[in-house]
Each structure stands twice: as structure tokens, then as C-alpha cells.
Amino acid sequence: MKTITFNQKKTSPIALEFDELIPDTIYNWEKSDFDKYMVPIGNSKFSLSNYFDVEVGGEAESPAEVKMILNGDLGRVKYIGNKMSDGQVIANSSVDLHCGAEMSGGSILVNGDAESYAGREMTGGELEIKGNVKEFCGASYIGDWRGMTAGMITIHGNAGKQLGECLTGGEIHVKGNCDILPGIHMNKGLIQIDGDVTRWPGGQMQNGDIVINGTLSRFLEGFNQEEVVIDPTIAGKSFSGKYIKFTGDIARNGKGTIWLAANKNRHLL
């Protein structure tokens, strides 16, 4: 096992781009490789050693044997874990844009909040965010139609707008509340929200499941109420309690399903 620890020396007002510093590319690097590495910052590149002191311990024969630990204020470090396929990344603060974007394997733990586009277009792996996440988590990028297709995102705090936009697979679990339009344009997969949702889940969805265990303030008109189900099994997972089942979005001839906890949404019965 190889542990690579990045201890921050100073921050930058312009974001550092860490997309090249993933287990896939650095599993065989030594300290001297990091000392001479030039990290992209805006339109230029600067020595990584200006910003981080890197410690390397142990050996690895593959990315799977690498643990990256990032310490400091990472609020201006973006693309952490971008396109990684294996290994482990631990970020011990809040992080900037695109954390875990396009990752296909391995795991990322963020001990803080994450900016927009966390887990964008993931195809595998596990992304866990201990705090809150902003807009477009697990979503597609601007102008694309396919968001997250596989993998697992767990958010212990709250989620911003358009969570799982264009979701085509995988699972997103929000343990807090969620802003507007979770699951918009959703085609497949599971979104579970344990807290409250502001309004309009599943707009234009065609398939997949959204489970809301808190209160929904406002629904879209394009969903038909089907029945109340006790202890349903949804996307292979067992849920306890009564859930109101809705299907839609009929505006897209959709066959998606939204499940609302009946005890929190009696106004919809």
C-alpha cells in the first residue's frame, strides 16, 4: 500500500487543477516527481511544491494500492479525483468544482462540502461527501444529455438544484434536504432523499425511481397517483413504511416513479 499525503503550504485565489493527480497516473511516483510537477492554475502552470508539501510512503504496483490524502483548505482545488478508475482519495476539507467527475472506480471521501458538478458523469466508484453539495451533483455537463451512469454518491448534508440531472444509472443518497428539480430528465437509477424537497422532483423524467422520505412542498402536474404501498422494494432496496406511488412524467410519456413517504405527505393522499 502506498500513501501519498498532500499538506497544503498556501492557497491560491485561482483554482489549482488536480485532474492529472489521480491514483491512475501517480501510483509509481516518488517525491522527486511531485517536486518537479507543474500544476495548472488558470492559463499557466506553477510548481506544485509552491502550494503543497508531498509525503510519499510505501509502494504500489497499481492504482488500487494508492491512498491520496489531501490536507488544508481545498476550497480552491478543483477536479479532485477527476476520471480516476481505482484507489482512494481523502480530502480533509471542502473542495472546489468537479470533484469525482467522470470517475469510473475507486473511492473519494470529502470531509467537508463540495462545489457544483460533484460526481458529474460518473460511470462507477463511490463518492461520499460529509457536508453539503451545490448544483448539478451527479449530472451531465453543459450541453450534454447523459449524467451519472453507474456508481454511488452519498451526501450527508443537503443537495443543491438539479441533483442527478439526466441520471442514466447508479444511485444518489441525500441524507439531508434537496433544492428544486432533483431527477430532472432522469432516465434510470435511484435517487433517495431522506429530508425535504423544495419542489418539482422528476421533471421530464422517463424512467428510474425517486424516493422522498421528507416533505415535498410542490409537485408537478405530470404525475399520476397510483397507490399506497407498504414496505416497498425499490430498485432492489427495501424501504419501511407507507409510500405514495406516483408515475410520470406524462409530458414525456415517462414511466418513472416517485415514492413519497405517506406520513410526511398526508396532504397528497
Side-chain angles (χ1 to χ4, degrees):
M1 186 70 184
K2 189 173 194 173
T3 301
I4 304 172
T5 305
F6 296 74
N7 295 309
Q8 192 173 51
K9 296 162 65 175
K10 69 176 183 179
T11 60
S12 169
I14 303 174
L16 281 68
E17 299 180 13
F18 260 44
D19 50 319
E20 296 177 337
L21 297 173
I22 57 175
D24 300 71
T25 57
I26 66 172
Y27 72 92
N28 59 353
W29 284 21
E30 301 299 333
K31 181 171 175 53
S32 59
D33 296 303
F34 293 100
D35 289 341
K36 64 187 179 184
Y37 177 73
M38 304 296 285
V39 62
I41 303 176
N43 294 326
S44 302
K45 291 186 176 183
F46 297 88
S47 176
L48 177 67
S49 61
N50 290 342
Y51 299 93
F52 286 90
D53 179 30
V54 182
E55 300 174 0
V56 180
E59 296 182 356
E61 295 183 357
S62 70
E65 299 174 357
V66 171
K67 178 190 288 187
M68 287 177 56
I69 302 174
L70 286 73
N71 298 319
D73 179 0
L74 308 171
R76 293 268 66 195
V77 180
K78 62 184 181 180
Y79 294 111
I80 293 173
N82 181 71
K83 294 186 178 181
M84 66 182 283
S85 69
D86 216 332
Q88 183 179 5
V89 175
I90 300 173
N92 286 317
S93 85
S94 297
V95 298
D96 207 341
L97 296 160
H98 303 289
C99 179
E102 298 183 77
M103 69 182 294
S104 60
S107 67
I108 300 174
L109 172 62
V110 177
N111 287 312
D113 301 331
E115 262 287 354
S116 303
Y117 289 110
R120 167 181 61 82
E121 299 175 307
M122 279 177 60
T123 61
E126 298 180 7
L127 171 60
E128 182 176 7
I129 299 165
K130 288 292 189 176
N132 305 317
V133 67
K134 289 196 176 179
E135 299 89 348
F136 304 111
C137 177
S140 65
Y141 197 44
I142 299 169
D144 205 347
W145 61 270
R146 181 167 51 201
M148 177 182 178
T149 58
M152 177 75 195
I153 299 176
T154 304
I155 302 158
H156 290 259
N158 303 321
K161 300 173 184 176
Q162 295 184 226
L163 172 80
E165 179 255 355
C166 290
L167 190 76
T168 58
E171 180 178 345
I172 303 175
H173 184 183
V174 179
K175 297 187 177 183
N177 302 322
C178 189
D179 206 337
I180 64 172
L181 295 168
I184 184 173
H185 302 300
M186 182 175 175
N187 289 295
K188 196 176 179 182
L190 171 64
I191 297 175
Q192 177 182 339
I193 302 166
D194 292 343
D196 301 331
V197 175
T198 305
R199 55 190 183 273
W200 307 325
Q204 299 285 303
M205 77 183 294
Q206 292 185 296
N207 216 320
D209 293 277
I210 300 174
V211 179
I212 300 173
N213 291 313
T215 300
L216 174 60
S217 298
R218 188 173 177 182
F219 222 145
L220 286 166
E221 295 181 356
F223 285 83
N224 294 320
Q225 183 173 333
E226 300 290 339
E227 57 187 325
V228 175
V229 183
I230 300 175
D231 299 337
T233 298
I234 304 168
K237 296 183 65 176
S238 298
F239 291 83
S240 298
K242 293 182 179 180
Y243 285 84
I244 315 170
K245 180 181 178 181
F246 295 82
T247 58
D249 187 340
I250 59 176
R252 294 289 302 277
N253 294 318
K255 298 180 180 179
T257 308
I258 296 179
W259 306 80
L260 298 183
N263 65 328
K264 294 289 185 70
N265 295 280
R266 297 184 186 277
H267 58 290
L268 294 174
L269 283 170

